[in-house]
Amino acid sequence: MIFMQKTWFLFLILLGSTAATAQQTTDSVYTYKKLNRSVSFAQMTFGGDVLVQNGGRVTFNDGNRRFGASAMPRATIGGMHFWGHADFYVTFPLGVNFGVKPDFADRLRNTESVETGMKIYPAALKPGAIRPFAGISFQPYTFFYNAKDQNNPKGPARYSRFITPVQLGVSYWRKKYIYTLSARYNWRNNFNYYESPELERTVQIAPLNFQFGILRCIDTDRSMGTPRAVGQLNKQYHFLAERGKLDDWYIGIGPSTALQMSKSPFFKERYPYLYNDQLSSFFVPDVTVGRYFIKPDLNVGLSARVLSFRSRAFETDLRMQRAVVSFETYKFLFDYHGFVPFIGPMLSLEYLRLKEPGSSVISVTKPSLGFVFGWDIRVTQTGSSLLRTNLRYAPWLYLDAHGQRIKFNHLEFNFIQFVKFLGRSKAYKTYK
């Protein structure tokens, strides 16, 4: 009897030792503690809001004339990061602007375009809590009006520039939804506007506006933070390593926005009423293909985009185009619980084109240097897909036209790009 008890005791010790060894092997790459914290680092959000702008006034010879408030519905996509302390987002106008037409114009537009911003929560936002936040954003602002009884074949002139409003507000997280109310202040609210090619007016817009929004939260990685999932992830890591698929080819696609960073002497010299019109492009398909190398933790790839720009007013209509293929290599800097920033150089082949009224066309094909930076949301290195944010900038890119320069040094902002790893997806088809 004593012999049997000792035998069982030794068996249990051996079994426990084997289980501990197996657990240590399983956790050799990922641990439950690390993954449980990483999967709660960020959550995707999407929804919408309404931006209310408070109008302003235009100075005429006989005094000021006001234009009223307007309301603009918008769609939002973004993500809560740093465990509820930061919200990074992009907001897209839906093309509708509700307001009352002023008495001095047949048509007036006082609006903001695609907004990119962040909100900081000193106390982390979490379900069931109301939290204050402070934020800042940047976006193109556009103003124009068509004076009554004025015939402009190509429409009125547009005044546009970047603004960086600051905001204060509160958010309430209930179940899967976040409700937000904020006040936004824009201090850049005075400018001159071309009512005609020869006549400028002074415009002042109201600096304070308001926003109310509703967002839905989606936690796509939450299932990875369980003990069972950790074991599977470690097995998948070794499965991919044995087949050489941790280094892998990938393809990616997502919408991009090109934002003008500098004004062009060409317009100031030849078309002064177009000088303040931002040359920006929205919802441009950004397609990339490349290869990821796990040991140096870097990407090498190609990206292709075609960007179109148009600037028109009165009887002038200019069309510009930029087609680019860029070779990029960038290094991932660190992995902060699935938030993985990167930076690197970019060498591009650029086709730039200008078409002026009539048949005048100026074009050139030239190389360009720049850099790319951004971040991946990459909880593990076993995934067959991930989400990436790319920003690209070619600071010295321009087109010579009539002895002046048209600057194409846009900041290209690709907020969400879906990236698919081809070899891993194929390998997982045989994984059991």
Side-chain angles (χ1 to χ4, degrees):
M1 185 67 177
I2 294 176
F3 175 79
M4 291 294 294
Q5 290 177 343
K6 290 182 177 180
T7 303
W8 275 105
F9 182 73
L10 292 172
F11 176 77
L12 290 174
I13 292 176
L14 180 62
L15 183 64
S17 176
T18 304
T21 302
Q23 181 66 28
Q24 185 177 3
T25 302
T26 302
D27 287 346
S28 61
V29 180
Y30 301 111
T31 64
Y32 169 74
K33 181 178 180 180
K34 181 179 185 300
L35 276 176
N36 188 54
R37 185 162 172 77
S38 294
V39 298
S40 60
F41 174 83
Q43 296 187 49
M44 182 182 292
T45 58
F46 69 92
D49 73 357
V50 175
L51 176 66
V52 178
Q53 296 177 281
N54 283 325
R57 63 175 183 260
V58 181
T59 300
F60 287 79
N61 295 334
D62 57 354
N64 295 326
R65 300 188 186 180
R66 298 193 60 82
F67 53 93
S70 61
M72 181 171 61
R74 310 184 299 176
T76 301
I77 185 169
M80 294 294 301
H81 292 72
F82 298 97
W83 303 281
H85 282 285
D87 177 14
F88 301 107
Y89 64 90
V90 176
T91 298
F92 305 93
L94 298 180
V96 181
N97 200 354
F98 300 99
V100 178
K101 185 170 61 176
D103 58 3
F104 61 86
D106 295 324
R107 185 165 60 113
L108 181 144
R109 185 172 184 180
N110 172 42
T111 188
E112 298 175 10
S113 189
V114 177
E115 175 183 351
T116 303
M118 67 175 179
K119 301 170 186 172
I120 302 299
Y121 294 87
L125 181 63
K126 57 185 180 180
I130 299 176
R131 294 287 188 265
F133 67 82
I136 189 169
S137 61
F138 71 92
Q139 66 258 52
Y141 165 80
T142 299
F143 174 88
F144 67 81
Y145 69 84
N146 196 90
K148 279 199 170 182
D149 302 323
Q150 185 177 13
N151 181 25
N152 295 317
K154 302 299 181 180
R158 292 171 180 259
Y159 178 90
S160 55
R161 69 181 177 198
F162 278 111
I163 58 173
T164 54
V166 295
Q167 57 179 315
L168 294 174
V170 294
S171 293
Y172 172 51
W173 190 337
R174 185 177 185 273
K175 296 182 178 180
K176 297 181 180 180
Y177 294 90
I178 297 175
Y179 303 87
T180 299
L181 178 65
S182 68
R184 304 164 74 250
Y185 183 83
N186 171 32
W187 60 86
R188 299 186 63 189
N189 56 356
N190 292 283
F191 53 88
N192 291 331
Y193 173 74
Y194 277 92
E195 183 180 291
S196 72
E198 298 82 22
L199 177 62
E200 287 186 273
R201 304 281 193 194
T202 300
V203 179
Q204 183 177 39
I205 59 172
L208 196 64
N209 52 45
F210 301 92
Q211 172 268 349
F212 172 74
I214 302 175
L215 297 174
R216 170 72 184 270
C217 293
I218 300 177
D219 194 347
T220 57
D221 298 324
R222 192 62 189 172
S223 61
M224 298 170 61
T226 64
R228 181 177 180 180
V230 172
Q232 285 297 317
L233 288 170
N234 282 294
K235 292 175 182 178
Q236 290 171 1
Y237 184 93
H238 294 298
F239 173 83
L240 294 175
E242 290 170 358
R243 288 156 180 79
K245 298 302 181 184
L246 292 175
D247 293 349
D248 200 9
W249 292 98
Y250 65 84
I251 58 173
I253 188 169
S256 187
T257 296
L259 306 175
Q260 178 180 313
M261 300 303 292
S262 302
K263 293 185 178 181
S264 300
F266 169 83
F267 294 102
K268 188 172 185 179
E269 179 69 22
R270 294 177 66 87
Y271 307 100
Y273 46 87
L274 299 180
Y275 182 63
N276 287 316
D277 188 7
Q278 289 274 357
L279 296 180
S280 300
S281 185
F282 304 100
F283 302 106
V284 177
D286 181 353
V287 181
T288 184
V289 60
R291 186 167 178 82
Y292 171 69
F293 299 92
I294 190 169
K295 285 189 177 180
D297 201 13
L298 62 82
N299 278 350
V300 176
L302 295 173
S303 173
R305 295 91 65 200
V306 177
L307 302 90
S308 297
F309 313 93
R310 188 177 185 182
S311 187
R312 53 182 174 170
F314 311 126
E315 297 184 356
T316 304
D317 190 352
L318 305 181
R319 297 172 185 263
M320 287 142 285
Q321 188 179 63
R322 176 189 174 199
V324 51
V325 176
S326 57
F327 173 77
E328 305 165 349
T329 177
Y330 47 89
K331 176 76 171 65
F332 293 95
L333 304 178
F334 55 84
D335 183 346
Y336 186 74
H337 300 288
F339 178 80
V340 193
F342 59 81
I343 189 169
M346 174 180 71
L347 175 62
S348 301
L349 184 63
E350 308 269 359
Y351 172 74
L352 308 177
R353 183 176 184 270
L354 164 69
K355 186 178 186 306
E356 292 185 275
S359 59
S360 176
V361 175
I362 300 173
S363 65
V364 66
T365 301
K366 61 193 298 188
S368 175
L369 288 174
F371 57 91
V372 55
F373 58 100
W375 61 88
D376 281 6
I377 299 300
R378 186 183 71 190
V379 178
T380 74
Q381 291 182 314
T382 62
S384 59
S385 63
L386 55 78
L387 297 179
R388 175 171 297 157
T389 296
N390 298 288
L391 294 95
R392 298 182 178 91
Y393 183 45
W396 306 284
L397 185 61
Y398 62 88
L399 171 66
D400 280 319
H402 305 294
Q404 299 290 341
R405 289 183 176 182
I406 300 177
K407 296 187 178 182
F408 284 85
N409 58 337
H410 303 95
L411 176 64
E412 298 179 69
F413 184 57
N414 179 202
F415 184 72
I416 292 186
Q417 184 181 65
F418 178 76
V419 177
K420 184 73 171 178
F421 291 98
L422 303 178
R424 295 180 191 178
S425 299
K426 185 177 180 180
Y428 279 140
K429 292 180 180 179
T430 65
Y431 176 77
K432 294 183 180 179

